[in-house]
Amino acid sequence: MRFHSPQKLKTIADLIGSEFVGPEDFEVLGTNEIHMVKQGEIVFVNHPKYYDKALHSDATIILIDKKVDCPEGKALLVSDDPFRDFNKINTHFTRIYNFTEELHDAEIGEGSRIHRTAVIGNNVKIGKNCLIFPNVVIGDRTVIGDHVIIQSGTVLGGDAFYYRKLNGNFDRLISVGNVVIENNVEIGNNCTIDRGVTDSTIIGEGSVLDNQIQIGHDTIIGKKCLIASQVGIAGCCVIGDEVTLWGQVGIASGNKIEGGSVLLGKTGVNRDLKKGTYIGMFAEDFKGYLKKEVKLRNLK
Protein backbone atom coordinates (compact mmCIF):
# COMPACT_ATOMS: atom_id res chain seq x y z
CA MET A 1 0.00 0.00 0.00
CA ARG A 2 1.43 3.34 -1.03
CA PHE A 3 0.53 6.40 1.02
CA HIS A 4 -1.16 9.27 -0.84
CA SER A 5 1.93 11.35 -0.02
CA PRO A 6 5.32 10.47 1.53
CA GLN A 7 5.45 10.41 5.33
CA LYS A 8 8.29 10.93 7.81
CA LEU A 9 9.63 8.23 10.13
CA LYS A 10 8.78 10.27 13.23
CA THR A 11 5.21 10.79 11.99
CA ILE A 12 4.69 7.03 11.73
CA ALA A 13 6.40 6.41 15.08
CA ASP A 14 4.13 8.97 16.75
CA LEU A 15 1.08 7.36 15.14
CA ILE A 16 1.80 3.96 16.71
CA GLY A 17 3.62 5.21 19.82
CA SER A 18 6.88 3.41 19.06
CA GLU A 19 10.59 4.10 19.29
CA PHE A 20 12.46 4.58 16.04
CA VAL A 21 16.02 4.16 14.81
CA GLY A 22 17.04 6.50 12.01
CA PRO A 23 16.66 10.17 11.09
CA GLU A 24 13.26 11.53 12.14
CA ASP A 25 12.69 12.91 8.61
CA PHE A 26 13.51 9.53 6.98
CA GLU A 27 11.02 9.15 4.11
CA VAL A 28 8.33 6.44 4.31
CA LEU A 29 6.32 5.70 1.15
CA GLY A 30 3.97 2.93 2.29
CA THR A 31 3.64 -0.57 3.73
CA ASN A 32 3.83 -4.07 2.33
CA GLU A 33 4.21 -7.66 3.42
CA ILE A 34 7.48 -9.50 3.08
CA HIS A 35 6.69 -11.27 -0.24
CA MET A 36 5.81 -8.01 -2.01
CA VAL A 37 7.74 -5.27 -0.20
CA LYS A 38 9.57 -2.57 -2.17
CA GLN A 39 12.07 0.16 -1.41
CA GLY A 40 10.62 2.94 0.73
CA GLU A 41 8.01 0.69 2.35
CA ILE A 42 7.50 -0.71 5.86
CA VAL A 43 7.53 -4.44 6.51
CA PHE A 44 6.73 -5.96 9.91
CA VAL A 45 8.46 -8.83 11.69
CA ASN A 46 7.66 -10.24 15.14
CA HIS A 47 9.76 -13.40 15.43
CA PRO A 48 13.58 -13.77 15.59
CA LYS A 49 13.38 -16.56 13.01
CA TYR A 50 12.45 -13.96 10.36
CA TYR A 51 14.59 -11.00 11.48
CA ASP A 52 17.31 -11.50 8.84
CA LYS A 53 14.77 -11.97 6.05
CA ALA A 54 13.01 -8.73 6.95
CA LEU A 55 16.14 -6.70 7.66
CA HIS A 56 17.73 -7.71 4.35
CA SER A 57 14.57 -7.52 2.25
CA ASP A 58 13.80 -4.66 -0.13
CA ALA A 59 11.99 -2.93 2.73
CA THR A 60 13.53 0.36 3.83
CA ILE A 61 11.73 0.53 7.18
CA ILE A 62 11.38 -2.52 9.44
CA LEU A 63 8.64 -2.59 12.09
CA ILE A 64 10.18 -4.97 14.63
CA ASP A 65 9.60 -6.15 18.19
CA LYS A 66 13.22 -5.76 19.37
CA LYS A 67 15.92 -3.15 18.88
CA VAL A 68 18.62 -4.70 16.66
CA ASP A 69 21.48 -3.44 14.52
CA CYS A 70 19.95 -1.48 11.68
CA PRO A 71 21.34 -2.09 8.17
CA GLU A 72 22.85 0.95 6.49
CA GLY A 73 20.36 3.06 4.61
CA LYS A 74 17.37 1.65 6.51
CA ALA A 75 15.33 2.58 9.59
CA LEU A 76 13.57 0.73 12.40
CA LEU A 77 10.25 1.17 14.17
CA VAL A 78 10.53 -0.69 17.49
CA SER A 79 7.14 -1.88 18.75
CA ASP A 80 5.92 -4.25 21.44
CA ASP A 81 3.41 -5.62 18.90
CA PRO A 82 4.36 -5.12 15.22
CA PHE A 83 1.31 -7.06 13.95
CA ARG A 84 -1.07 -4.73 15.81
CA ASP A 85 0.80 -1.61 14.75
CA PHE A 86 1.01 -2.70 11.10
CA ASN A 87 -2.79 -2.87 11.15
CA LYS A 88 -2.93 0.53 12.82
CA ILE A 89 -0.77 2.15 10.14
CA ASN A 90 -2.69 0.54 7.29
CA THR A 91 -6.15 1.44 8.55
CA HIS A 92 -5.04 5.00 9.32
CA PHE A 93 -4.16 5.58 5.67
CA THR A 94 -6.86 3.37 4.07
CA ARG A 95 -10.50 3.65 5.09
CA ILE A 96 -12.19 0.26 5.58
CA TYR A 97 -15.90 0.38 4.65
CA ASN A 98 -16.85 -3.32 4.24
CA PHE A 99 -20.15 -2.30 2.59
CA THR A 100 -21.27 -0.31 5.66
CA GLU A 101 -21.29 2.93 3.64
CA GLU A 102 -22.06 3.54 -0.03
CA LEU A 103 -20.24 6.42 -1.66
CA HIS A 104 -21.74 5.71 -5.10
CA ASP A 105 -18.41 6.65 -6.66
CA ALA A 106 -17.92 3.69 -9.03
CA GLU A 107 -16.53 4.49 -12.47
CA ILE A 108 -18.24 2.36 -15.14
CA GLY A 109 -17.12 2.34 -18.76
CA GLU A 110 -19.31 2.72 -21.83
CA GLY A 111 -21.21 -0.39 -22.89
CA SER A 112 -20.81 -2.29 -19.62
CA ARG A 113 -23.90 -4.10 -18.33
CA ILE A 114 -24.29 -4.82 -14.63
CA HIS A 115 -27.21 -6.83 -13.23
CA ARG A 116 -29.27 -4.95 -10.65
CA THR A 117 -28.51 -7.60 -7.98
CA ALA A 118 -24.76 -7.11 -8.21
CA VAL A 119 -23.20 -5.30 -5.24
CA ILE A 120 -20.44 -2.80 -5.92
CA GLY A 121 -18.21 -1.32 -3.22
CA ASN A 122 -16.51 2.06 -3.03
CA ASN A 123 -13.80 3.41 -5.32
CA VAL A 124 -14.40 0.66 -7.89
CA LYS A 125 -13.45 1.06 -11.56
CA ILE A 126 -15.08 -1.04 -14.29
CA GLY A 127 -13.95 -0.72 -17.90
CA LYS A 128 -15.83 -0.78 -21.20
CA ASN A 129 -18.13 -3.52 -22.49
CA CYS A 130 -18.04 -5.65 -19.34
CA LEU A 131 -20.79 -8.07 -18.37
CA ILE A 132 -21.50 -8.54 -14.65
CA PHE A 133 -23.99 -11.33 -13.87
CA PRO A 134 -26.50 -11.54 -10.97
CA ASN A 135 -25.30 -11.64 -7.35
CA VAL A 136 -21.71 -10.72 -8.09
CA VAL A 137 -19.97 -8.85 -5.25
CA ILE A 138 -17.19 -6.41 -6.10
CA GLY A 139 -15.28 -5.11 -3.09
CA ASP A 140 -13.75 -1.70 -2.46
CA ARG A 141 -10.93 -0.45 -4.70
CA THR A 142 -11.35 -3.27 -7.25
CA VAL A 143 -10.17 -2.37 -10.76
CA ILE A 144 -11.70 -4.21 -13.73
CA GLY A 145 -10.49 -3.75 -17.30
CA ASP A 146 -12.38 -3.80 -20.60
CA HIS A 147 -14.40 -6.71 -22.04
CA VAL A 148 -14.48 -8.65 -18.75
CA ILE A 149 -17.17 -11.25 -17.97
CA ILE A 150 -17.93 -12.10 -14.33
CA GLN A 151 -20.56 -14.78 -13.78
CA SER A 152 -23.05 -15.22 -10.96
CA GLY A 153 -22.08 -15.52 -7.32
CA THR A 154 -18.44 -14.53 -7.74
CA VAL A 155 -16.84 -12.36 -5.04
CA LEU A 156 -13.95 -10.05 -5.88
CA GLY A 157 -12.06 -8.38 -3.08
CA GLY A 158 -12.95 -10.36 0.04
CA ASP A 159 -10.65 -10.25 3.07
CA ALA A 160 -7.34 -12.08 2.95
CA PHE A 161 -7.02 -15.30 4.98
CA TYR A 162 -4.16 -14.00 7.13
CA TYR A 163 -4.27 -14.48 10.91
CA ARG A 164 -2.13 -14.92 13.98
CA LYS A 165 -3.11 -16.74 17.16
CA LEU A 166 -3.29 -14.38 20.12
CA ASN A 167 -4.47 -15.32 23.61
CA GLY A 168 -6.19 -18.41 22.24
CA ASN A 169 -8.05 -16.50 19.52
CA PHE A 170 -7.37 -15.67 15.87
CA ASP A 171 -6.41 -12.06 15.14
CA ARG A 172 -6.81 -10.84 11.53
CA LEU A 173 -4.26 -8.88 9.54
CA ILE A 174 -6.55 -6.29 7.95
CA SER A 175 -6.53 -6.25 4.14
CA VAL A 176 -6.02 -2.82 2.58
CA GLY A 177 -5.00 -3.96 -0.90
CA ASN A 178 -7.26 -4.62 -3.87
CA VAL A 179 -8.05 -6.87 -6.83
CA VAL A 180 -7.08 -6.00 -10.41
CA ILE A 181 -8.77 -7.83 -13.29
CA GLU A 182 -7.10 -7.04 -16.60
CA ASN A 183 -8.75 -6.83 -20.05
CA ASN A 184 -10.59 -9.76 -21.68
CA VAL A 185 -10.74 -11.93 -18.56
CA GLU A 186 -13.63 -14.35 -18.02
CA ILE A 187 -14.49 -15.52 -14.49
CA GLY A 188 -17.01 -18.31 -13.86
CA ASN A 189 -19.67 -18.82 -11.21
CA ASN A 190 -18.97 -18.79 -7.47
CA CYS A 191 -15.30 -17.89 -7.63
CA THR A 192 -13.62 -16.03 -4.77
CA ILE A 193 -10.65 -13.75 -5.36
CA ASP A 194 -9.29 -12.15 -2.19
CA ARG A 195 -7.86 -8.65 -2.21
CA GLY A 196 -4.23 -8.13 -1.36
CA VAL A 197 -3.20 -7.51 2.22
CA THR A 198 -1.22 -4.44 1.19
CA ASP A 199 -0.85 -4.87 -2.59
CA SER A 200 -2.92 -6.15 -5.52
CA THR A 201 -4.22 -9.60 -6.38
CA ILE A 202 -3.98 -9.64 -10.18
CA ILE A 203 -5.68 -11.71 -12.88
CA GLY A 204 -3.77 -11.22 -16.11
CA GLU A 205 -5.17 -10.23 -19.48
CA GLY A 206 -7.03 -12.90 -21.42
CA SER A 207 -7.13 -15.47 -18.60
CA VAL A 208 -10.20 -17.68 -18.22
CA LEU A 209 -11.40 -19.06 -14.88
CA ASP A 210 -13.95 -21.86 -14.50
CA ASN A 211 -16.41 -22.14 -11.59
CA GLN A 212 -15.64 -22.45 -7.86
CA ILE A 213 -12.04 -21.26 -7.87
CA GLN A 214 -10.32 -19.69 -4.84
CA ILE A 215 -7.42 -17.28 -5.34
CA GLY A 216 -5.63 -15.99 -2.25
CA HIS A 217 -4.33 -12.53 -1.40
CA ASP A 218 -1.55 -10.87 -3.40
CA THR A 219 -1.38 -13.74 -5.91
CA ILE A 220 -0.52 -12.80 -9.48
CA ILE A 221 -2.03 -14.83 -12.33
CA GLY A 222 -0.33 -14.26 -15.68
CA LYS A 223 -1.82 -13.60 -19.09
CA LYS A 224 -3.92 -16.18 -20.99
CA CYS A 225 -3.99 -18.72 -18.18
CA LEU A 226 -6.67 -21.42 -18.15
CA ILE A 227 -7.89 -22.48 -14.69
CA ALA A 228 -10.42 -25.29 -14.26
CA SER A 229 -13.02 -25.87 -11.56
CA GLN A 230 -12.19 -26.16 -7.84
CA VAL A 231 -8.60 -24.98 -8.11
CA GLY A 232 -7.27 -23.44 -4.88
CA ILE A 233 -4.35 -21.01 -5.00
CA ALA A 234 -3.02 -19.66 -1.71
CA GLY A 235 -1.67 -16.16 -1.13
CA CYS A 236 1.43 -14.59 -2.66
CA CYS A 237 1.79 -17.08 -5.51
CA VAL A 238 3.04 -16.05 -8.95
CA ILE A 239 1.60 -17.96 -11.91
CA GLY A 240 3.31 -17.26 -15.24
CA ASP A 241 1.68 -16.59 -18.59
CA GLU A 242 -0.24 -19.32 -20.43
CA VAL A 243 -0.30 -21.75 -17.51
CA THR A 244 -3.05 -24.39 -17.44
CA LEU A 245 -4.36 -25.62 -14.08
CA TRP A 246 -6.81 -28.50 -14.32
CA GLY A 247 -9.49 -29.39 -11.77
CA GLN A 248 -8.73 -29.43 -8.05
CA VAL A 249 -5.12 -28.32 -8.36
CA GLY A 250 -3.89 -26.94 -5.02
CA ILE A 251 -0.99 -24.48 -4.70
CA ALA A 252 0.56 -23.60 -1.32
CA SER A 253 1.43 -20.00 -0.49
CA GLY A 254 4.41 -18.18 -1.90
CA ASN A 255 5.15 -20.54 -4.81
CA LYS A 256 5.97 -19.65 -8.42
CA ILE A 257 4.97 -21.57 -11.54
CA GLU A 258 6.83 -20.82 -14.72
CA GLY A 259 4.89 -19.76 -17.81
CA GLY A 260 3.66 -22.46 -20.18
CA SER A 261 3.31 -25.12 -17.49
CA VAL A 262 0.43 -27.60 -17.29
CA LEU A 263 -0.75 -29.01 -13.96
CA LEU A 264 -3.01 -32.01 -14.35
CA GLY A 265 -6.02 -32.67 -12.12
CA LYS A 266 -5.48 -32.82 -8.34
CA THR A 267 -1.81 -31.86 -8.58
CA GLY A 268 -0.42 -30.42 -5.35
CA VAL A 269 2.29 -27.74 -5.38
CA ASN A 270 4.56 -27.05 -2.41
CA ARG A 271 7.59 -25.62 -4.26
CA ASP A 272 8.47 -23.46 -7.26
CA LEU A 273 8.01 -25.22 -10.61
CA LYS A 274 9.92 -24.77 -13.86
CA LYS A 275 8.08 -25.03 -17.17
CA GLY A 276 6.68 -28.55 -17.60
CA THR A 277 3.72 -30.87 -17.16
CA TYR A 278 3.04 -32.14 -13.64
CA ILE A 279 0.81 -34.61 -11.83
CA GLY A 280 0.32 -35.95 -8.31
CA MET A 281 0.26 -34.82 -4.70
CA PHE A 282 3.83 -33.47 -4.89
CA ALA A 283 3.83 -32.24 -8.50
CA GLU A 284 5.88 -34.96 -10.21
CA ASP A 285 7.08 -34.53 -13.77
CA PHE A 286 4.40 -36.25 -15.86
CA LYS A 287 6.76 -38.25 -18.11
CA GLY A 288 8.73 -39.43 -15.08
CA TYR A 289 5.48 -40.42 -13.40
CA LEU A 290 4.42 -42.52 -16.41
CA LYS A 291 7.80 -44.30 -16.54
CA LYS A 292 7.55 -45.08 -12.84
CA GLU A 293 4.03 -46.47 -13.29
CA VAL A 294 5.20 -48.75 -16.14
CA LYS A 295 8.02 -50.10 -14.00
CA LEU A 296 5.71 -50.76 -11.07
CA ARG A 297 3.23 -52.60 -13.26
CA ASN A 298 5.98 -54.77 -14.72
CA LEU A 299 7.23 -55.91 -11.32
CA LYS A 300 6.76 -59.63 -10.74
Side-chain angles (χ1 to χ4, degrees), residues 22 33 35 38 51 62 64 103 106 108 120 141 150-151 167 180 201 218 242 249 253 281 286:
E33 62 168 325
H35 297 86
K38 296 178 280 292
Y51 282 178
I62 297 87
I64 192 168
L103 302 183
I108 301 172
I120 299 176
R141 301 179 299 282
I150 304 173
Q151 296 193 37
N167 301 323
V180 175
T201 304
D218 298 288
E242 299 185 32
V249 164
S253 64
M281 184 179 294
F286 185 55

Side-chain angles (χ1 to χ4, degrees), residues 98-99 137-142 155-160 175 177-179 192-196:
N98 286 333
F99 301 101
V137 177
I138 301 174
D140 293 351
R141 301 179 299 282
T142 298
V155 178
L156 305 181
D159 285 327
S175 309
N178 73 336
V179 171
T192 50
I193 301 174
D194 293 343
R195 68 181 183 268

Side-chain angles (χ1 to χ4, degrees), residues 276-296:
T277 301
Y278 298 89
I279 192 172
M281 184 179 294
F282 300 108
E284 298 179 65
D285 173 74
F286 185 55
K287 289 183 179 178
Y289 168 81
L290 291 177
K291 290 177 182 178
K292 180 184 72 175
E293 286 296 304
V294 169
K295 289 180 180 179
L296 288 172

Side-chain angles (χ1 to χ4, degrees), residues 117-182:
T117 61
V119 178
I120 299 176
N122 298 314
N123 195 23
V124 169
K125 296 180 181 180
I126 299 173
K128 299 177 182 177
N129 301 312
C130 295
L131 183 57
I132 312 297
F133 281 56
N135 299 316
V136 168
V137 177
I138 301 174
D140 293 351
R141 301 179 299 282
T142 298
V143 177
I144 298 172
D146 300 333
H147 307 285
V148 171
I149 297 173
I150 304 173
Q151 296 193 37
S152 297
T154 283
V155 178
L156 305 181
D159 285 327
F161 187 72
Y162 196 137
Y163 294 83
R164 66 169 173 175
K165 201 163 189 179
L166 180 67
N167 301 323
N169 297 309
F170 292 108
D171 184 24
R172 181 191 293 275
L173 189 64
I174 298 170
S175 309
V176 295
N178 73 336
V179 171
V180 175
I181 309 295
E182 295 184 350

Side-chain angles (χ1 to χ4, degrees), residues 44-274:
F44 83 92
V45 60
N46 55 3
H47 195 290
K49 180 179 178 180
Y50 302 109
Y51 282 178
D52 282 347
K53 184 176 181 179
L55 290 165
H56 297 100
S57 69
D58 289 337
T60 309
I61 305 94
I62 297 87
L63 175 59
I64 192 168
D65 60 351
K66 180 182 178 181
K67 190 177 287 188
V68 296
D69 292 336
C70 182
E72 186 177 354
K74 300 194 177 188
L76 304 180
L77 292 161
V78 184
S79 162
D80 64 335
D81 191 341
F83 190 103
R84 176 201 66 208
D85 287 339
F86 195 71
N87 272 338
K88 189 171 183 178
I89 295 167
N90 287 335
T91 54
H92 178 82
F93 289 99
T94 301
R95 176 77 182 274
I96 303 298
Y97 293 98
N98 286 333
F99 301 101
T100 58
E101 296 181 39
E102 295 183 24
L103 302 183
H104 302 289
D105 60 352
E107 297 179 20
I108 301 172
E110 183 179 356
S112 287
R113 291 179 291 168
I114 301 172
H115 193 272
R116 59 182 175 78
T117 61
V119 178
I120 299 176
N122 298 314
N123 195 23
V124 169
K125 296 180 181 180
I126 299 173
K128 299 177 182 177
N129 301 312
C130 295
L131 183 57
I132 312 297
F133 281 56
N135 299 316
V136 168
V137 177
I138 301 174
D140 293 351
R141 301 179 299 282
T142 298
V143 177
I144 298 172
D146 300 333
H147 307 285
V148 171
I149 297 173
I150 304 173
Q151 296 193 37
S152 297
T154 283
V155 178
L156 305 181
D159 285 327
F161 187 72
Y162 196 137
Y163 294 83
R164 66 169 173 175
K165 201 163 189 179
L166 180 67
N167 301 323
N169 297 309
F170 292 108
D171 184 24
R172 181 191 293 275
L173 189 64
I174 298 170
S175 309
V176 295
N178 73 336
V179 171
V180 175
I181 309 295
E182 295 184 350
N183 297 339
N184 301 301
V185 168
E186 296 186 20
I187 301 174
N189 298 289
N190 295 319
C191 295
T192 50
I193 301 174
D194 293 343
R195 68 181 183 268
V197 170
T198 46
D199 215 306
S200 297
T201 304
I202 300 173
I203 311 299
E205 182 175 0
S207 290
V208 178
L209 280 62
D210 194 4
N211 305 321
Q212 297 178 321
I213 291 166
Q214 157 66 16
I215 297 177
H217 65 88
D218 298 288
T219 280
I220 299 173
I221 307 293
K223 302 180 187 301
K224 297 182 179 178
C225 291
L226 189 67
I227 304 179
S229 180
Q230 297 183 357
V231 165
I233 304 174
C236 300
C237 292
V238 178
I239 312 299
D241 296 341
E242 299 185 32
V243 168
T244 299
L245 306 176
W246 290 116
Q248 296 186 338
V249 164
I251 304 175
S253 64
N255 288 302
K256 298 180 181 180
I257 297 176
E258 190 172 355
S261 296
V262 177
L263 276 61
L264 300 175
K266 296 190 177 183
T267 296
V269 179
N270 62 354
R271 68 187 189 282
D272 293 350
L273 297 180
K274 295 293 185 181

